[in-house]
Amino acid sequence: MRKECEASLKPGQAALIVRYGNTTRKFHPLAGDLVVLGRAPSCDITVVSHEVAPIHCILRRGRDGWRLRDCSGGRNATRLNGRQIHEEALRDTDVLQIGAFSFEMRLPSARVTPLLGSTPVVDDHVAARLKHLRRSRRNLVRLALLLRRRVRKANPLPPTLAELEQQAQCLRDLQRDYEARINEQQERLSELEKAERELCDEREAFERECLERRIQLEQAEQELAHRQAAPTAERDRTRQASVRERLAEFSRLKQEIAGSSPSAPGEMLRSDIVMVMDPVQ
């Protein structure tokens, strides 16, 4: 198939040869200095696939040869020889991958030398038309890039799988931190409840001890009052008993005096009365 493509191409002409993908043409000659590949119908090489951007990449020919520039900027970026690139120089037999399509670069180094004395005949109208088309193509590419940047700013691309995994890891870390803090707060709450129960128990014990001390104090006061009142009553009883004894003795002496001689009854009677009236003596 490659030989058939090379046979159908002009000598020294650059081209893209389709290696994988469902396309109507198996090779695309690179006639101009700027070739646009993408899903849009206005592209030079239209590749219909949902993985291909409207303007996916640009092939540009300069003084140092052909260069490839990626314009997709998404997850399905342009790949050159299996590597994802932004802008890279092209060589012959390089493999260009756009979405599910694969192309091989045909960049022959040999150039056809024109015959001596022969000059290419180009119509002025055709040359002006080609110049106008190239300028219009450049303007279209600039406009497409500007619109793409505006759309990207207005509607940012969805996060990639790596970004989603990173966000999920951050959420898992936050969840672990939250669970650790919850466990710490529960432990502190348990310690506070335990301390509160101990404080309540100590308060009840203190109140019981205060009540017992108050009862003991009242009992001690009553016992002290009883002890203070006991000697007075005992002294009163002792004094009353002494008075009764003195009175009994006074009666006995009176009887004795009445039965004996009345020689000095006045003095004996006075001394006995004094002893009865002052029993402590």
Side-chain angles (χ1 to χ4, degrees):
M1 179 179 176
R2 182 175 181 178
K3 292 182 179 180
E4 294 177 358
C5 294
E6 291 178 353
S8 59
L9 292 174
K10 295 180 181 179
Q13 185 179 13
L16 278 177
I17 301 174
V18 180
R19 292 303 179 193
Y20 183 80
N22 187 10
T23 58
T24 56
R25 299 176 59 180
K26 296 302 179 184
F27 64 94
H28 299 274
L30 304 179
D33 295 336
L34 187 66
V35 180
V36 182
L37 288 83
R39 193 175 69 241
S42 58
C43 295
D44 297 321
I45 300 176
T46 304
V47 182
V48 180
S49 175
H50 67 279
E51 298 178 352
V52 179
I55 298 179
H56 201 90
C57 62
I58 296 175
L59 297 176
R60 181 173 57 85
R61 179 168 57 184
R63 294 180 180 180
D64 54 349
W66 286 90
R67 296 185 68 85
L68 172 65
R69 182 178 182 182
D70 177 63
C71 299
S72 63
R75 289 176 290 182
N76 298 319
T78 307
R79 293 181 177 274
L80 182 64
N81 298 325
R83 295 182 298 105
Q84 183 175 345
I85 56 96
H86 176 66
E87 186 172 357
E88 193 78 17
L90 295 173
R91 295 183 297 272
D92 192 23
T93 68
D94 281 346
V95 178
L96 173 64
Q97 184 178 353
I98 301 175
F101 293 83
S102 180
F103 301 90
E104 182 181 348
M105 295 300 303
R106 175 73 164 81
L107 300 175
S109 57
R111 295 183 179 179
V112 178
T113 304
L115 298 176
L116 294 175
S118 63
T119 55
V121 179
V122 180
D123 189 10
D124 294 338
H125 179 71
V126 175
R129 181 64 178 170
L130 289 174
K131 186 176 181 180
H132 176 71
L133 289 176
R134 290 173 181 172
R135 186 167 58 251
S136 299
R137 185 179 298 170
R138 294 191 189 96
N139 293 334
L140 179 62
V141 170
R142 294 193 188 98
L143 180 60
L145 293 175
L146 179 61
L147 291 175
R148 185 174 184 83
R149 283 194 294 269
R150 289 181 180 177
V151 170
R152 188 178 299 171
K153 289 180 180 179
N155 299 320
L157 294 174
T160 60
L161 182 60
E163 293 175 351
L164 290 176
E165 290 179 353
Q166 185 177 2
Q167 294 178 3
Q169 183 64 32
C170 292
L171 290 176
R172 286 193 291 269
D173 295 339
L174 290 175
Q175 184 178 5
R176 284 196 296 269
D177 189 13
Y178 175 75
E179 291 177 354
R181 291 186 178 182
I182 289 294
N183 294 331
E184 184 179 357
Q185 294 297 330
Q186 289 179 353
E187 291 178 357
R188 290 184 178 179
L189 182 60
S190 301
E191 292 178 357
L192 288 175
E193 291 178 351
K194 182 179 179 181
E196 185 177 2
R197 288 194 298 269
E198 293 178 354
L199 182 61
C200 291
D201 296 339
E202 291 178 358
R203 182 177 180 181
E204 292 178 357
F206 178 73
E207 290 178 353
R208 288 195 300 269
E209 185 177 358
C210 289
L211 182 59
E212 292 175 357
R213 293 291 179 86
R214 189 178 298 111
I215 293 172
Q216 292 177 1
L217 181 61
E218 292 176 356
Q219 292 176 355
E221 289 178 353
Q222 292 177 1
E223 184 178 357
L224 180 62
H226 181 70
R227 289 180 180 179
Q228 289 178 355
T232 303
E234 184 69 24
R235 284 197 301 270
D236 293 340
R237 286 194 299 271
T238 305
R239 182 175 295 179
Q240 290 177 1
S242 178
V243 168
R244 285 194 297 270
E245 290 178 357
R246 296 289 181 151
L247 289 174
E249 185 178 358
F250 175 73
S251 299
R252 182 177 59 78
L253 290 175
K254 187 176 179 180
Q255 291 175 1
E256 290 179 356
I257 291 171
S260 62
S261 60
S263 58
E267 294 180 1
M268 294 178 62
L269 183 60
R270 282 196 300 269
S271 64
D272 291 336
I273 290 173
V274 171
M275 291 178 63
V276 171
M277 294 302 295
D278 192 5
V280 177
Q281 296 178 359

